[in-house]
Amino acid sequence: MKKIILSIALLASVSATQAQKYFTRNGHLGFFSKTNMEDIKANNESVTYIVDWTSGEIQISALQTNFKFEKALMQEHYNENYVESTKFPKATFKGKIENVNAINIKKDGTYTANVSGSLEIHGVSKNYTTKATFKVSGGHVVAETKFNVKCADHNIKIEANLKNNISESIEITAKADLTELKK
Amino acid sequence: MLKKIVLFLVIGLAVGLAIGLYLYNKPHDTAADIEIFEEISAHDLYAKFSMDQKNALATYLNKNLLVTGNLESFVQDSSGTKWTLSTQSDDLGVVTVTFAEPLNQKPTLNQSVKVQGLCAGFLEGDELLGGEIQLNQAVVAQ
């Protein structure tokens, strides 16, 4: 009898663990470059976010060709000259919510947490730490953060004649409305 | 003679400026503007990416694909229109289709649909979430 109870408890804990994953395939990633000459921004609304609330692991993946620019020509230059999207089609972030236990996804509220991990752009990975907010409401978790990335850190070269048009430091915004992942 | 040179220079500059302006402001291509590379089902396309992602990317990246599949879900909001096609794969992988222009009519779920879209690539899932092939600048195929 004890074995049966133990097995049921184990099964329950396994399913409870699996239920701790949240995701979206419609997440947002945006970047913004500001110089005296011009502002350049692009948005990608088809970003996959997966968050495991048990381990705190967070995974973000985006396809480079899905960043939309106002001008088609800018988009072409971004894909061909800067991120070389044929060679490096994805941007990924793999990291961890450091104080994941401070976030109660069963209780509505706004929580802040440090997220750290490795961002790979243009085939080059670099570690980042940023503060993120997690707004829990009615079974959804809206995750949001903003941080800066230097082009040179990811081996993205800006031509000398465009140094005044493209900022060396790009502001990245990330936002995702996450719901429970059920198989 | 000098007048002719000045005239040629002015015309050359004007043409150069016009070409530059056109290129700077040229619209984004949609799938309707580009020749179809291949007609394929969502199931077969997903199978190709699942089996050999590198080879599938080399074949399909940025290509205009005419894809048939069952409509699993859709999003129609201020950010645009996006359809998710089932691939009937074991890992519940999908093909997501982002339209070049928002669609006015709501589609019927679980029906076979045919779309044209530019292949943006493949995102792996994890043990619970299947992978995803993304098509963008899409149009409903006639």
Side-chain angles (χ1 to χ4, degrees):
Chain A
M1 185 65 181
K2 268 185 187 173
K3 275 184 182 171
I4 294 168
I5 293 170
L6 191 66
S7 303
I8 292 168
L10 268 172
L11 274 173
S13 70
V14 166
S15 59
T17 304
Q18 284 176 345
Q20 296 298 303
K21 271 193 179 181
Y22 276 52
F23 88 112
T24 182
R25 291 192 199 268
N26 300 314
H28 163 88
L29 262 186
F31 62 79
F32 181 60
S33 155
K34 187 173 180 61
T35 64
N36 290 332
M37 292 291 281
E38 66 178 328
D39 293 346
I40 300 170
K41 64 176 176 180
N43 294 307
N44 185 336
E45 310 296 342
S46 301
V47 182
T48 298
Y49 287 71
I50 305 172
V51 178
D52 184 335
W53 297 109
T54 312
S55 63
E57 282 170 12
I58 186 162
Q59 197 180 316
I60 303 171
S61 0
L63 293 172
Q64 291 288 11
T65 50
N66 268 345
F67 280 95
K68 302 283 173 249
F69 290 70
E70 188 194 343
K71 304 282 182 197
L73 191 66
M74 279 183 184
Q75 198 165 314
E76 273 176 33
H77 287 170
Y78 173 77
N79 283 298
E80 287 168 13
N81 305 341
Y82 298 111
V83 294
E84 299 178 271
S85 60
T86 309
K87 212 166 155 190
F88 309 107
K90 277 173 254 186
T92 58
F93 177 84
K94 282 179 185 167
K96 223 167 176 174
I97 302 167
E98 286 173 359
N99 50 333
V100 69
N101 293 334
I103 304 167
N104 184 353
I105 53 165
K106 303 286 176 209
K107 191 179 170 193
D108 287 3
T110 302
Y111 305 87
T112 57
N114 282 331
V115 176
S116 59
S118 174
L119 175 69
E120 186 183 321
I121 304 173
H122 194 223
V124 180
S125 297
K126 189 180 176 346
N127 288 331
Y128 291 86
T129 298
T130 180
K131 193 163 271 185
T133 61
F134 297 89
K135 193 175 177 186
V136 179
S137 173
H140 287 245
V141 181
V142 177
E144 204 166 350
T145 190
K146 197 182 272 189
F147 60 102
N148 280 63
V149 167
K150 285 185 178 165
C151 297
D153 287 343
H154 293 276
N155 199 22
I156 296 169
K157 294 184 179 80
I158 298 166
E159 302 93 323
N161 61 328
L162 290 173
K163 293 250 183 215
N164 292 331
N165 297 66
I166 303 171
S167 171
E168 177 48 38
S169 179
I170 308 289
E171 184 186 85
I172 307 283
T173 52
K175 189 174 181 181
D177 185 353
L178 307 161
T179 51
E180 196 176 340
L181 176 54
K182 294 172 188 166
K183 186 117 182 173
Chain B
M1 184 64 184
L2 188 65
K3 267 187 185 173
K4 275 186 180 172
I5 292 170
V6 171
L7 190 67
F8 275 123
L9 279 176
V10 170
I11 291 170
L13 267 173
V15 169
L17 193 67
I19 292 170
L21 269 173
Y22 168 75
L23 286 176
Y24 186 70
N25 291 307
K26 72 173 179 172
H28 291 269
D29 281 336
T30 74
D33 304 320
I34 300 166
E35 197 182 334
I36 293 168
F37 176 75
E38 190 175 320
E39 182 172 352
I40 190 166
S41 70
H43 174 270
D44 290 353
L45 185 63
Y46 189 77
K48 287 190 177 185
F49 272 94
S50 301
M51 271 190 290
D52 186 351
Q53 190 185 154
K54 203 176 166 186
N55 194 30
L57 271 175
T59 309
Y60 294 117
L61 189 65
N62 298 323
K63 296 288 193 324
N64 186 15
L65 303 179
L66 178 58
V67 178
T68 311
N70 266 11
L71 185 64
E72 191 177 283
S73 65
F74 66 89
V75 177
Q76 213 152 308
D77 60 20
S78 57
S79 68
T81 303
K82 193 188 281 187
W83 289 2
T84 301
L85 310 188
S86 157
T87 63
Q88 288 153 345
S89 61
D90 293 338
D91 67 353
L92 303 179
V94 294
V95 175
T96 55
V97 183
T98 305
F99 286 87
E101 299 291 338
L103 300 181
N104 295 325
Q105 272 194 315
K106 285 196 175 174
T108 312
L109 290 178
N110 303 315
Q111 287 212 339
S112 179
V113 292
K114 204 179 236 191
V115 292
Q116 268 177 250
L118 309 181
C119 182
F122 180 75
L123 292 177
E124 297 95 343
D126 71 351
E127 71 273 13
L128 288 180
L129 185 72
E132 177 189 17
I133 297 165
Q134 294 187 359
L135 305 179
N136 56 33
Q137 292 300 97
V139 294
V140 177
Q142 300 304 315

